[in-house]
Amino acid sequence: MKVLLSLFVLLLVAGGIYCWGGNSLDERQVRAFYAQAEQALLEGDDEALCDMLADGYRQASVLKTEAGQIEQDVDKQRYCEEVAQTTKAMQQLREAMGGYSPIRYEQQIKRITLFEDGEQAKVEMTSTLDMAGMRLVSRNRDTIERRRWRTQLVSSVGVVHAGGTQ
């Protein structure tokens, strides 16, 4: 009887760790998530970038250029399609340049605000992408969550300024 009770308690503890421990999010995990996203971007791994998005992912952005601005609202499917096209084009450019990467990317996390539920965070960040005579500078506010030991991007709202490089 003691063995069964001990086994039951052990299963309860393991279940609790799985359910609640796998859903808790801290600042270290947020920074690791963005480092992983940066690495996937630099490697041109569109599948990894797409896998980092939650199923209901939404992105609202405004692209500002000298000619005006374009507002976009995309879901996960469209985002993944666009990232796949972009990484394919970048791979072709890289091959044409003898293996040299034609992009330079930097990101900086400005602020991380953890939600009271311990499962989500709001992240304010900036990034700069230089490529083939073009520079994109963005400011984003992202919401990420951790569910069942996976951290994923739920939504992103941002402004992107596009222009030529000096």
Side-chain angles (χ1 to χ4, degrees):
M1 186 67 165
K2 284 185 178 185
V3 173
L4 286 176
L5 184 59
S6 297
L7 183 59
F8 179 71
V9 170
L10 182 62
L11 288 173
L12 281 176
V13 169
I17 290 171
Y18 177 77
C19 288
W20 291 288
N23 291 342
S24 64
L25 186 63
D26 61 29
E27 187 172 323
R28 180 188 56 78
Q29 292 165 325
V30 171
R31 291 188 184 282
F33 177 81
Y34 281 94
Q36 180 183 2
E38 180 178 17
Q39 187 64 34
L41 178 70
L42 292 173
E43 291 174 357
D45 189 347
D46 59 296
E47 290 180 14
L49 288 168
C50 192
D51 192 44
M52 297 178 87
L53 306 178
D55 288 337
Y57 174 75
R58 299 297 297 185
Q59 179 187 53
S61 62
V62 177
L63 174 64
K64 295 185 176 189
T65 66
E66 291 178 11
Q69 69 181 32
I70 301 168
E71 293 184 26
Q72 283 190 317
D73 185 20
V74 300
D75 61 7
K76 180 178 180 174
Q77 180 180 348
R78 183 166 169 205
Y79 179 90
C80 292
E81 290 167 358
E82 290 178 1
V83 167
Q85 291 171 354
T86 301
T87 55
K88 182 179 179 183
M90 295 307 296
Q91 180 63 30
Q92 291 171 344
L93 186 57
R94 185 178 292 127
E95 289 170 4
M97 298 179 73
Y100 172 74
S101 177
I103 67 170
R104 186 178 67 81
Y105 178 77
E106 293 178 14
Q107 68 181 13
Q108 184 177 24
I109 295 173
K110 297 291 189 178
R111 182 183 319 196
I112 299 171
T113 306
L114 298 171
F115 287 31
E116 284 187 31
D117 67 5
E119 298 174 1
Q120 293 186 331
K122 182 76 71 181
V123 181
E124 296 177 31
M125 63 174 298
T126 60
S127 62
T128 304
L129 177 66
D130 289 315
M131 61 182 177
M134 180 186 290
R135 170 176 273 182
L136 302 172
V137 178
S138 68
R139 287 189 167 86
N140 291 353
R141 274 182 254 126
D142 299 340
T143 301
I144 65 171
E145 71 178 5
R146 186 163 168 89
R147 297 250 187 254
R148 301 289 186 238
W149 300 91
R150 288 193 65 204
T151 304
Q152 292 186 309
L153 187 58
V154 175
S155 66
S156 182
V157 177
V159 176
V160 180
H161 296 272
T165 58
Q166 306 295 333

